[in-house]
Amino acid sequence: MAETPDTDKLVRREADAPALDPITSRSTSAILLVSALLLTGVLIWSLYDEVYGMRPWKGYQQSYAKRFDRYLKRLQKRGFKSEEEVRKSDEYLRLDAEARAAREQARPKQSEIDGQVKLIDAQLTAISDEFQNRRGRITVASYNVETAADKNKPNLRHNVEQMKAQKSVVYIPTDAEAAHKEKKELTFNELESKYLSLKDEKGRLLGEKGELVKPASDLEKQRDDYLKNNVTEVTEQQVRLLRASAENFDFGMKQINVKGEMIVDRCESCHLGIRSPITIRPADMMPAGRGRRSRPDMLARAFASHPDTELLRIHDPEKFGCSSCHWGNGRATTSIEKGHGENRFWIHPLFAKENAEAGCNQCHSNDRVLQGATTLNQGKDLFYQRGCVGCHRYEGFDRETDALTNTRQLVKQLQDEVTANEHDAKVARADSAAPGVSDERAAQLLARAEALIVTNSQIEARIDQLNTQSRFLMQDQKKVGPNLKDARLKLRKEWIPEWLKDPQAFRPGTKMPTFWYLSGKPDASMGNIVPVSQQDDERKAIAAYIWQSSFDGQLPAQQPGDAKHGEELFKTRGCLACHSIGEGDQKIGGEFAANLTKVGQKENYNYVVRWVHNPRERWAPYCPKEKRDLTPEDYRKNGKEFVFDTTKHTRCPNDGAELQVQNMTVMPNFRLSDADARDIATYLVSLTPPAEYPDASFMDNTALASKGKNLIKQYGCAGCHEISGFEEEQRIGKELTAEGATPLERLDFARMTRLAEEGEQPNSANQEDKQGSGGKEGSGTKEGKQAKPWYNHKGFFEHKLADPGIYDSGKEKDPREHLRMPKPFLKEEWKTALTTLLLGSVGPDGANVPAALFYEPNNQQKDIQDGWWVVKKYNCMGCHSVQVGQKSVLYGLPQYQQGGTFGDIQLGPEQLPPGLMTEGARVDPNWLLRFLCDPSLSNGNKECVSLGGNVGGAAGTPGAATTETGQGRGDMSNRQSGPGDGGAQPHTGAGQTQTGVNQSQSGSLVMGGLKPQPGENRNGVRTYLRVRMPTFNFSPNELRTLARFFLAVSAQQEPYIKQELEPLSDSERDLARSLFTSQAAPCLKCHMTGDATHDQTATAPNFLQAGQRLKQDWTFRWLLDPQRIMPGTAMPSQLFKRDGERWVFNGPLPPSAADYQGDHARLLVRYLLSLTPEEQARARSTVPARAPAPSGTQAGHVASHRQGGGEPRTPAARAAQSVSRLFARRARRIQISSRARPLRWRAREARWRQSALSKRWRQSAAAARGRARDFSP
Amino acid sequence: MHSNRARFLVALFAALCLLAFAVACSKSADDEADGTDAGGDDSAEVATLTPYKPSGQEGSITGTISFTGAAPAPKPISMDADPFCASASPDAHAEDIVVNGDKLANVLVYIKDGKAGDKNIASLKFDPPAEAAKLDQHGCHYVPHVQGVQVNQQFDIVNSDQTAHNVNVDAKQNEKFNQGQSPGAAAITKQFKRAETVIPIKCNQHPWMRAYVGVLPHPFFAVTDKDGHFEIKGVPPGTYTVVAWHEKYQQGQTQTITVGASEKKETTFSFSSQQLTAEYADGGVLRMLPALEMPMLGEHH
C-alpha cells in the first residue's frame, strides 16, 4: 500500500524564488578568517619553532655566553693570586732578569743587522721590478726560440742576446731611508747577479740575527715555561683571550663530524663548556642573582666542562665524537630527551651518569682493569668474586677452564693426527715395496713416510708442551666456592641443610647466594611458584647428595692451641686482607673472602687446622681422565707412594694423566708452623659459642641423594663448588658477553612489562597490597624518583639483580621450570657496578664505537692486562698497593695507622707490606720469579731454586750462601720478634714432635695429616714484617705473567739483561763505607743486618740481598728521593744534594771525599749492590766506635752488637754461625715449652736465657772471628 | 561586514599578543638578573674570609686537665740501639701519658668551631704569627712533644742532638715529607697550608720518638703544661666548641664554652684511665673496609 497518493499531483508547486546570487548572498569571510588565523598561527608557530621550538639550543647558547662571560669577569675580578706570586718568586725574577740581560746584550748588534737588512730590502725593491720584468721578457723570447722553425732560430737567438746585453738604468739606494740613490746601468746578467747576491746577503744576515737572539729567546721561553708550570690556576692572559673570543661567540650548531666513521655528534651545541680550556664547574655557571647559594641548575650542570680532561685528551672528541662512548642520539637537537636518546625506539639511550663507564667497555672489554673506570672495574671484580662466573660464561673470565678445555681438545686432535700419520707412513712404506713400482716412485714414497714420521716427532713435542700447559692450567684453575668433596671431613652434618636454607642468615654478606627456592618459605612475590613442601624436599635431597658423595675419612685429631696467640697471628699475619671478622659494626677486614666469625659453628676443628696450615693440601687427587678421585689403593696397586704435589707427582699412577693435586682455592699457604696453625684455628673456633641444629639423619638416605644429584645439576651448584660427579659440569646460565646488546624486546620483562613502562616499582605494588602504604621507599629505587619508566636495559638488569625471580612473578608455570638464578648478596653500589658491566657488555657488533677505534693493546699493554687477571685473582691488592693511588685493605686497618698497635705490638704504617708501584723497575725479574715462587727464599722448593736463573744456579757462590744465612737469622728474628710466637701452649712441644715423627715415618699412609712445610715461618725479604708474603703455588704460567706484568707496568725491557756492576776501587770503597756509616745517614740503624738483636728493631731489608735483587738505576733514584717512589716510606729523602752534574752527599763529608769527583749516590749504589758480609761487618764495626762512649751496661750491649754484626764467610766462621743458629733454635724450643707458665715468669726466664745465650753466642762468634782473621790475608 | 572586519582585527591582535607573549617568555633569567648583577659580584662560590680584628673585648679560656684513675707508670724506653741517645737521656721514659699527680700534660686544647659574636669563626681570617714554631730534636726526644701551630706559620725543625734523625711527617691533609737531618744540619723549614688536627711526626731511626702537631686556622689553642694547666688567650667573646685532644684519646673531649666580653673563663676536662684501656682494647674504631679503593683518574669535585 505504498503507492503515491494521486492528490500529490494536484498540489501546485509554488513558483521558484529567484536563486540567490552566491557572490552577493554568501560570504566566505569566515572561512578566510579561519584560514588567515590558521595561517598566522602556523606562521607564528613556524617562527617560534625556528627560533625556539626546534632549536632549544639557541636559548641555551645565549645563556651560556652570558654565564661564561660572567664567570670570566668574576675570575678577573678575583685576581690572579698564584700568578702574581710566581711573578714575584726569586726564580722567576732571576729568569726574567737573565732574559732581559740577554736581550739587552744582543740589542746593539741586532739593530745593526736590522739596519743592514733594511738597506738590502730597499735595494732589492729598487731593482726587483726591473729585474723581474726583464727576466719575463727574456723567458718569452727564449721560448720563441725553442718553438721557432730552425731557420729562424739564429735570428731570434741574436735578439735574445741583444735583450740581455741591453742596459737598464736603476737607482740603487745607498742608505736604508733611500735618501741617496746611486744611478747604475746594468746588463741583465749584472742585474741578475746583483739581485741574487742581495738575496743571499739578506738570508745570511737573518740567520745571524736568529743566532744572536737565540739565547735571549731561549731564556724567555724558560721564563714563560716556569710561569706556566708554577701557576696553579688560570692565568690572566688565558682569561683575557677567552673573554675576547667569548665576545664573538659563534651562535650556531656545534657539530663533530667524522666522515669515515659516520659519527655526527651535535652534543656540544648545548654542552658548550665540555672542552673549555679552563675547567668550568657547575657552580661556576650558576644563574646570576637569585638562588646563588642553591644548587646549580640544569643548565649550569650542562655547561660544565668534562669531568676528566685526561680522558678527553686520550679520546679526542674530534676522532671519537661523544655518542660513541656515552651513547644517546648525537644528531638530535630538538629536545633534551631526543638528544639523549631517551626514546623507546632508539637503541642506544644515553648511559645514566652512574653507569657512564659502561661505554668504556665497548672497546675495553678485554681489559681486566681499566685505569680510571672504577665502577666498571668493580663490576668485573664482582662478576668474578661473587661467583657470577660460576653460572654465566663471559669471555675472558674463567680463562683457565676455557683454556684447559681447548688444550685437551687440541691434544686429542694431535694424537689422532699422530695415529693417522703413522698409518699413512706404514701405507707408504708398504706401497714402495710393492712389485711394479718404479724406483723413482718408491723413493718418493719412502721420503713421504720419512717426512710423516718426522712430523710426528714434532707433533709429539707439541703434545708434551700442551700437556705441561694443561698441568699448569689445572694448577691455576680455581673455584669460587669451597670444595664440597671435603664436606664430611670439614662440616657439621646438621649445619648443611640450615646453611642451604638461608646462607645470608648465618653469614651476612656471604658470596653464597640465597637459593630462595630452597629456603622453605612461601614467596608470594613470585607467586609461590615453588611450593614450600617441594623446597624442603629439594634442600634435603641436595644436602644428602653432598654428604654422601664427599670423601670419607678420618682427620688426625689436633691438640687445642692458644686462642690469644692465634688472634695475634690472625690479625697481624695478613689474614684480614681478604677475610673479615666480627659482625655488624664490629666487622673488620676485607671482603674478598669469607667472614670467619662463625666458623666454629660449622666446621670441624681438625679440618680448620689442616686448612690454615696449608689450604692447598688436597685430600685425594682427581684424575680428569678417569673422572674420579684417586685413592691410596690406586697408588699401592702401582707400587707407588700416595704422594701428589704440584711439581713432581702430578701424574696418575694408573694412566699417566695429569691430576688435579690441589684444592682449587685461591687461599695461599702462609707457611705456618703446626703450632701456629692450631693457634689460629683455636682462635677462630672460639669466636662463637657452639650451636645446635635440628637432626639431619635424612642425609644418609641414599634414595634422597640420587634425587639430590639431579637437583644439583639443575641448580648449577658445580659452577662454584667442586662436587663429586660434577667435575666436568658446564655452566647453566646464559652467556653474558654481549648481554647488553640484546634487543630490548628479547629481554623478558614478562608480567613486569606494564609496571616497567609506567615506571612503577614491583615491590611497591606488593607493599600496597599488604599495608596500603609505603610504596615510595621501594628497595629497588635509590632516588625515590617516581614514575620513571624502567622499561630499558638498565631497569631490567637492576631489577633482575635485586630480585632474580622477579620476572616469574604472577606467572602460571610448572614449578620445575621456574627461573633458577639465586639471589646474590649485593650492596647498592655493587648492583650499579654490575649493571654498568652488563650495559657495557655489547660485544663488537653491539658497540656504538666504530670498530677501527677499538682498543688493541700492544705487547706491554697486553702483558699488563694479562697480569691484572692474576693480580685480581689472588687479591694481591689486599696487602699491596699495586697501582698509584690505590690503597690496600690492610692500609685501612686501624692497627696500621700511625702509631697503631695490636695489644702490646707496635704496628703502624712501617709494618705494611711494600708498595709495588715500581716493582718491575726495582727488582731483577729473575729474582722476582724466584721470590714469587717461594717467598720465603728458603731454597726449600727445588723448582723455585732453579727459577732464579743466575741466582739459583749460584747456590755455591758466596752470594747465595749469604742470602741463606741472612735468612736463617732473619727467620730467627722473625720468631723472636713476635712476643707471642711460640707462645703459651702446654703440651705442644711433645705433641708437635710426635706428630712430626708420625708424618715422616708413615708419610703417605696417614691421610690428612699436617705435612712438613718448606720455608716454615720465614719471610724472604722483609723479615721484620709481621705480615707474611704467603706462598701462592703459582704455576710457571702465572709466575711468568706476573713478572711480565711488573716489568710492563714499569716499562722495563724484556728479556732482562743485568747491568754489569762496576767494581769498586779500594779508595772508592773506603769513601762509600764512610758515607754508608755516616752519622747523617746511618743506613744500618734501620736496615737489617742478619743479627737477631739488631734486627728486632729493623724496619728495612738486608743489603746483602740487594745485589741479586735490586736494579742499579732504581736504587739510584730511590736514594735520591724515596718519597717520590713510595710516599710515606720510612726512608728519608734529601740524603744527597745537587752539585752541578753530580749528586753529593748531604752531610758532613769525610776528607777522602775531596778527591772524589764522581757521583756520591752512584757510588753508594755500587757499594750497596756489591756488599759482602765481611764488608757489612766492617761497616758495622765502625759505627759504634764513632759514637760517644756509652755508659755502663750499655757498653756491653754495644759490644754484642758489634760482634753480632760480623758475618764472616770463611768456613770456620760459617760453622760458628751454624752453631749460633743452633743455639737460637734451642732457645726457641725452650720458649715453646715455657708457654704454659705465667707471663711474668716467662719474661724473667727469657731475659735470663737471653743473657746466657748471648754470652755463649758471643763467645762462639768471637772465636769464629778469630779464626776468620787467621784465614784472611 | 563590519563585524567580520572587527573579528579579523581582534584575531590579528590576539595573534600579535601571542607573538609578543612568546617573545617575552623567552627572555631568560640570565638577562633580567644580569642587570642587577653586573655591578659588584664577588664570585658565588669562593668563600672569602674576613680578616679578623681584635675588638679589645677579648677574654680567655683557662683550665686544668685532670686524669682520674690509676695513672699508668711511665714506660721506660731502651735507647740502647743508639749509644748517643742512651747517654744523652739515660733514664728515658715514654711521653705518651705524662701525669703529674692527677694532672695530665701534653693535651692540646683548641677551639674547633663556634661563633665569635655573629661571625662564624671559620669565616674569619687570622694572619699567621711572625715568629716561627719550633720543633727540636733534643736528647732523642721531640721538644715539645705536643704543640699547636697556625696555618702558614713557619715551622722550623732543628736537630740539637749529636746523632742523625729523620723527620717523618705523616700528614693527611698537608704535604707529607720525610727528611733526614744529621747533627748540625740546617733547620728544616716548612709550612702547613691547611688545618689538620693532629699530624703525627716520628723518627724511624728512633722508634720511640714521636711528636704531634695540631695545625689550626686560628691562634686559639694551647697545650697543657706538666701541671695540666692551659690558657687560650685573646678569645673574642662568643660560643665555641672546645676540644681537648690527647694522643691516647684520639677522639678527644668536647665542650661548648661561652666566653663573655673580657671574661676569663675557667673550665676543666677529665680523662680517665678506664677509657684508656677501652680504647686500647678496641684499637680505635673498627670499621668495614671496602675491598679496594681506587681514585678516579682526574676526578674533580
Side-chain angles (χ1 to χ4, degrees), chain A residues 1015-1252:
Chain A
E1016 180 178 301
N1017 270 345
R1018 283 183 172 200
N1019 252 353
V1021 180
R1022 290 160 210 272
T1023 63
Y1024 55 89
L1025 288 186
R1026 274 159 200 283
V1027 181
R1028 182 171 295 163
M1029 168 80 180
T1031 306
F1032 282 91
N1033 284 93
F1034 296 120
S1035 76
N1037 273 356
E1038 287 187 333
L1039 286 175
R1040 244 176 262 140
T1041 310
L1042 279 175
R1044 280 211 196 102
F1045 168 77
F1046 286 116
L1047 287 175
V1049 167
S1050 307
Q1052 300 288 302
Q1053 288 294 323
E1054 199 204 4
Y1056 171 68
I1057 295 167
K1058 196 170 174 145
Q1059 206 183 333
E1060 199 55 53
L1061 198 66
E1062 202 186 323
L1064 293 161
S1065 70
D1066 283 345
S1067 61
E1068 278 179 330
R1069 184 175 295 107
D1070 285 344
L1071 175 60
R1073 190 185 310 116
S1074 58
L1075 297 180
F1076 183 68
T1077 54
S1078 158
Q1079 270 291 309
C1083 306
L1084 291 178
K1085 233 180 207 174
C1086 298
H1087 284 271
M1088 302 196 344
T1089 57
D1091 166 34
T1093 344
H1094 171 272
D1095 289 356
Q1096 267 182 349
T1097 54
T1099 54
N1102 195 327
F1103 287 119
L1104 292 179
Q1105 284 179 356
Q1108 296 165 9
R1109 191 174 148 244
L1110 298 178
K1111 292 186 181 174
Q1112 288 182 45
D1113 291 340
W1114 182 89
T1115 316
F1116 175 68
R1117 276 183 290 124
W1118 175 255
L1119 285 181
L1120 293 186
D1121 196 352
Q1123 301 292 329
R1124 283 175 82 95
I1125 296 178
M1126 234 171 266
T1129 177
M1131 171 96 175
S1133 340
Q1134 304 206 350
L1135 294 176
F1136 298 90
K1137 60 182 177 223
R1138 195 109 184 119
D1139 172 30
E1141 289 301 301
R1142 61 180 195 151
W1143 289 92
V1144 171
F1145 187 66
N1146 191 9
L1149 287 174
S1152 55
D1155 305 333
Y1156 188 69
Q1157 290 311 312
D1159 190 301
H1160 289 182
R1162 291 265 176 218
L1163 176 70
L1164 202 55
V1165 169
R1166 280 161 61 207
Y1167 180 76
L1168 295 178
L1169 298 193
S1170 64
L1171 197 70
T1172 58
E1174 305 96 317
E1175 182 56 41
Q1176 195 195 44
R1178 233 178 124 182
R1180 284 201 69 200
S1181 64
T1182 63
V1183 180
R1186 271 217 196 160
S1191 58
T1193 49
Q1194 279 146 1
H1197 270 283
V1198 174
S1200 82
H1201 270 228
R1202 200 183 311 158
Q1203 284 175 353
E1207 282 209 25
R1209 208 177 46 163
T1210 51
R1214 240 186 268 164
Q1217 276 180 347
S1218 67
V1219 168
S1220 64
R1221 248 179 290 153
L1222 198 78
F1223 280 143
R1225 228 172 275 152
R1226 198 181 295 164
R1228 202 157 70 211
R1229 215 168 298 146
I1230 292 163
Q1231 268 190 339
I1232 291 169
S1233 69
S1234 70
R1235 273 186 187 192
R1237 278 171 231 170
L1239 204 76
R1240 211 181 324 140
W1241 266 99
R1242 228 191 301 149
R1244 197 175 297 172
E1245 196 179 69
R1247 226 174 296 141
W1248 175 82
R1249 260 178 222 290
Q1250 210 172 13
S1251 62

Side-chain angles (χ1 to χ4, degrees), chain B residues 64-68 99 102-104 107 227-228 253 268-272:
Chain B
T64 46
I65 305 217
S66 55
F67 189 86
T68 57
V99 179
D102 64 341
K103 301 289 183 262
L104 186 59
V107 180
D227 301 321
Q253 287 191 16
T268 54
F269 288 92
S270 171
F271 290 93
S272 78

Side-chain angles (χ1 to χ4, degrees), chain A residues 29 33 37 44 52 63 66-67 70 74 77-78 284 288 290 292 307-308 357 371-372 374 585-589 591 872 877 883 885-887 889 892-894 898-899 910 1079-1080 1082 1085-1086 1123 1129-1134 1194 1197, chain B residues 4 7-8 11 15 19 26 29-34 37 39 41 43-46 80 82-83 86 162-164 166 168 170 178-180 182 200 202 204-206 210 283 285-289 291-298 300:
Chain A
S29 57
L33 179 66
L37 282 179
I44 292 167
Y52 301 104
S63 204
K66 274 175 200 132
R67 292 183 187 198
R70 199 164 43 234
R74 232 160 35 216
K77 205 166 284 172
R78 198 175 65 192
D284 299 330
R290 295 160 292 153
R292 197 186 293 177
D308 195 339
E357 288 162 17
Q371 206 86 26
T374 325
D585 297 344
Q586 298 295 307
K587 202 168 173 179
I588 182 172
E591 281 177 331
K872 287 283 188 176
M877 288 151 107
Q883 210 177 9
Q886 166 245 331
K887 309 284 185 219
V889 173
L893 294 177
Q898 194 62 255
E910 290 81 26
Q1079 270 291 309
K1085 233 180 207 174
C1086 298
Q1123 301 292 329
T1129 177
M1131 171 96 175
S1133 340
Q1134 304 206 350
Q1194 279 146 1
H1197 270 283
Chain B
N4 275 346
R7 255 186 280 164
F8 178 71
L19 195 69
S26 68
D30 300 300
D31 291 314
E32 45 184 281
D34 213 31
D37 192 56
D41 178 5
S43 104
E45 73 291 339
V46 177
D80 296 353
D82 190 323
Q162 286 309 306
T163 185
N166 70 300
N168 191 345
D170 189 30
N178 177 4
Q179 283 184 18
S182 51
K202 66 181 286 185
N204 294 86
Q205 296 167 41
H206 309 104
R210 262 165 210 287
V285 195
L286 302 186
R287 62 198 166 87
M288 192 59 199
L289 295 155
L292 289 173
E293 270 178 45
M294 272 192 280
M296 184 85 177
L297 231 176
H300 305 290

Side-chain angles (χ1 to χ4, degrees), chain A residues 140-200:
Chain A
V140 172
S142 307
Y143 177 73
N144 285 341
V145 178
E146 282 160 23
T147 52
D150 277 352
K151 62 176 166 97
N152 292 337
K153 273 188 181 174
N155 202 9
L156 287 170
R157 274 199 193 110
H158 180 69
N159 279 352
V160 172
E161 288 308 319
Q162 266 188 339
M163 284 172 85
K164 281 190 180 171
Q166 210 173 42
K167 290 199 170 172
S168 56
V169 179
V170 287
Y171 296 90
I172 297 175
T174 51
D175 57 74
E177 273 66 44
H180 303 279
K181 285 182 183 169
E182 192 183 351
K183 184 182 168 185
K184 272 196 177 171
E185 290 183 23
L186 298 169
T187 64
F188 176 73
N189 284 346
E190 283 164 348
L191 200 58
E192 189 177 28
S193 66
K194 178 80 182 164
Y195 180 82
L196 291 177
S197 70
L198 282 174
K199 280 244 161 184
D200 284 351

